[in-house]
């Protein structure tokens, strides 16, 4: 018989040793055939302080040479020397890191929700480790190999050392998330995404549904603010009263606000703009309608507010849901006392998914000869 091994060294960063799998071939005594019997053979080490055997896996323990014996059947044996060295002989070539569910560079989820990510490291030899939260069968834990960084922690951050991400707010600009090898800052992978909050049930969303919530604009540009209400995936919007404002004066000219309704409204609303004596109030929206057989359940696009940027800076947009009612069935009686289980409502709740910031620049063109 014959066996083949590769010398093993330290796993870069982790400082434990690599392991290898045995391969064993049996040659017929008449020389007329060779068979791979790696899975049928059993293996043992003559020095478990240098290398120990578990199934077909030979794990390095300490520097030195160990004899690994393979036994096929009752009498066919082969011996090979495995050399364990106290150095890195197969360095990490790259980190491959992915966040599931990213579509069109958008990290879209409800506030404070988390996602497990996938971390893989690839060595120069082509060996690949899919890392988990704990060490397993010679593969180190994520936390001993990779660290995770964010340039936008107020919007996207991590909740543990395993790279589990959490969305906390809408991002003003694209966010860069990085998975970096702990012991070599030149080996990393990144995800560049827009953090965009998805509205939970009984919340209102403002701005773009995908990509950045609000694109950067210049003074004099028109800001378009789409408005969507979420009664829940299994409910109809029954009524809504909403106020939306800008936090600072001088950045958005509320007097220029114009509401544009959808061509065929699913849920008709009345919108008041240009409200005298309230320069920070962008609009007041209200509407009530009983669903019919043609009314879709779930999130409803109500329309778009167009308003002009008038000053440079970060304009914070926020809102208050004065009231929202939803029903799960067309026949749900909202006047019943007590309220039936098909009915749900909120009052005086701050808009969560729709709260955000618009970055307004001066729009100047700088020419450098």
């Amino acid at each position: 018989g014959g066996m083949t091994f590769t010398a093993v060294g330290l796993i870069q960063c982790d400082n434990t040793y690599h392991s290898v799998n045995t391969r064993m071939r049996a040659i017929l005594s008449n020389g007329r055939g060779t068979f791979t019997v790696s899975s049928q053979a059993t293996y043992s080490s003559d020095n478990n302080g240098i290398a120990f055997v578990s199934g077909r896996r030979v794990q390095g323990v300490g520097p030195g040479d160990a004899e690994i014996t393979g036994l096929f059947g009752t009498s066919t044996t082969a011996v090979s020397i495995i050399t364990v060295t106290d150095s890195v002989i197969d360095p990490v070539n790259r980190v491959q890191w992915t966040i599931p569910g990213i579509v069109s560079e958008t990290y879209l989820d409800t506030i404070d929700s988390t996602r497990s990510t996938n971390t893989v490291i690839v060595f120069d030899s082509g060996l690949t480790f899919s890392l988990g939260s704990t060490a397993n069968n010679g593969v180190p834990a994520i936390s001993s190999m990779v660290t995770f960084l964010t340039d936008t922690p107020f919007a996207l951050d991590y909740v543990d050392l395993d790279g589990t991400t959490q969305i906390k707010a809408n991002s003003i600009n694209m966010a860069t998330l990085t998975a970096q090898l702990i012991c070599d800052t030149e080996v990393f992978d990144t995800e560049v995404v827009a953090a965009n909050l998805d509205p939970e049930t009984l919340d209102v969303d403002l701005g773009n549904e995908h990509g950045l919530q609000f694109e950067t604009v210049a003074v004099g540009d028109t800001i378009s603010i789409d408005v969507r209400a979420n009664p829940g995936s299994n409910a109809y919007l029954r009524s809504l009263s909403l106020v939306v404002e800008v936090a600072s004066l001088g950045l958005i000219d509320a007097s220029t606000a114009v509401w544009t309704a959808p061509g065929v409204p699913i849920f008709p609303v009345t919108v008041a703009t240009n409200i005298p004596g309230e320069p920070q109030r962008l609009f007041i929206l209200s509407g009530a309608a009983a669903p019919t057989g043609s009314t879709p359940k779930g999130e409803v696009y109500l329309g778009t507010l167009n308003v002009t940027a008038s000053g440079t800076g970060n304009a914070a947009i926020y809102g208050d849901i004065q009231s929202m009612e939803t029903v799960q069935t067309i026949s749900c009686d909202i006047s019943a006392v007590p309220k039936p289980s098909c009915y749900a409502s909120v009052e005086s709740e701050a808009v969560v998914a729709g709260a955000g910031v618009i970055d307004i620049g001066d729009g100047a063109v700088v020419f450098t000869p």
Side-chain angles (χ1 to χ4, degrees):
M3 291 191 297
T4 302
F5 293 95
T6 301
V8 298
L10 291 170
I11 299 174
Q12 187 179 355
C13 303
D14 183 60
N15 289 326
T16 60
Y17 294 94
H18 275 283
S19 61
V20 292
N21 282 333
T22 59
R23 289 180 292 166
M24 185 172 180
R25 292 174 299 145
I27 303 171
L28 295 180
S29 58
N30 61 12
R32 294 183 178 179
T34 301
F35 301 90
T36 299
V37 294
S38 304
S39 298
Q40 292 77 31
T42 59
Y43 307 93
S44 60
S45 170
D46 74 335
N47 192 331
N48 287 328
I50 293 175
F52 76 85
V53 178
S54 175
R56 287 184 56 200
R57 187 169 66 89
V58 181
Q59 175 68 57
V61 178
D65 295 331
E67 287 187 358
I68 306 300
T69 300
L71 172 65
F72 175 65
T74 58
S75 59
T76 302
T77 62
V79 176
S80 184
I81 303 295
I82 183 168
T83 299
V84 180
T85 180
D86 243 352
S87 61
V88 175
I89 60 177
D90 190 12
V92 176
N93 179 274
R94 63 188 182 276
V95 174
Q96 295 176 338
W97 184 56
T98 55
I99 305 173
I102 301 298
V103 178
S104 301
E105 297 184 315
T106 306
Y107 189 121
L108 180 68
D109 220 330
T110 55
I111 191 166
D112 293 333
S113 61
T114 60
R115 288 187 196 176
S116 297
T117 60
N118 303 309
T119 307
V120 173
I121 57 173
V122 182
F123 296 87
D124 277 354
S125 65
L127 175 68
T128 298
F129 282 172
S130 240
L131 303 181
S133 57
T134 59
N136 184 39
N137 289 330
V139 177
I142 296 173
S143 58
S144 67
M145 296 293 295
V146 176
T147 188
F148 298 92
L149 310 170
T150 174
D151 69 348
T152 316
F154 75 89
L156 285 170
D157 209 347
Y158 306 95
V159 297
D160 56 30
L161 298 178
D162 297 334
T164 302
T165 53
Q166 181 179 47
I167 185 168
K168 298 156 69 174
N170 294 301
S171 60
I172 305 171
N173 305 112
M174 298 296 283
T176 299
L177 304 177
T178 303
Q180 178 182 285
L181 199 65
I182 282 179
C183 61
D184 187 347
T185 59
E186 298 300 315
V187 182
F188 61 88
D189 196 11
T190 61
E191 291 269 12
V192 180
V193 296
N196 194 324
L197 288 175
D198 204 22
E200 295 187 293
T201 298
L202 297 173
D203 191 19
V204 170
D205 197 14
L206 304 174
N208 299 321
E209 192 170 9
H210 298 283
L212 290 172
Q213 179 194 19
F214 299 114
E215 298 292 339
T216 299
V217 297
V219 172
D221 286 350
T222 297
I223 301 167
S224 295
I225 304 174
D226 293 343
V227 181
R228 295 174 297 277
N230 183 23
S233 61
N234 193 39
Y236 303 99
L237 183 62
R238 184 64 177 79
S239 72
L240 176 64
S241 178
L242 172 70
V243 175
V244 173
E245 300 184 340
V246 59
S248 302
L249 290 171
L251 300 181
I252 294 177
D253 184 357
S255 69
T256 64
V258 176
W259 178 262
T260 303
V264 182
I266 295 174
F267 187 87
V269 294
T270 299
V271 179
T273 59
N274 306 312
I275 302 165
E278 299 188 38
Q280 291 176 243
R281 185 156 292 186
L282 296 179
F283 65 91
I284 299 174
L285 177 152
S286 61
T292 66
S294 62
T295 304
K297 287 184 173 182
E299 191 169 293
V300 181
Y301 168 61
L302 301 173
T304 301
L305 183 83
N306 294 300
V307 66
T308 302
S310 57
T312 60
N314 289 331
I317 305 295
Y318 65 97
D320 179 67
I321 301 170
Q322 296 183 327
S323 67
M324 182 190 292
E325 295 178 300
T326 70
V327 292
Q328 293 184 356
T329 63
I330 293 174
S331 60
C332 186
D333 183 3
I334 66 173
S335 64
V337 180
K339 296 297 184 184
S341 60
C342 58
Y343 172 85
S345 68
V346 293
E347 293 183 1
S348 300
E349 290 285 342
V351 169
V352 176
V357 175
I358 304 172
D359 182 14
I360 306 173
D362 60 16
V365 177
V366 179
F367 174 72
T368 303

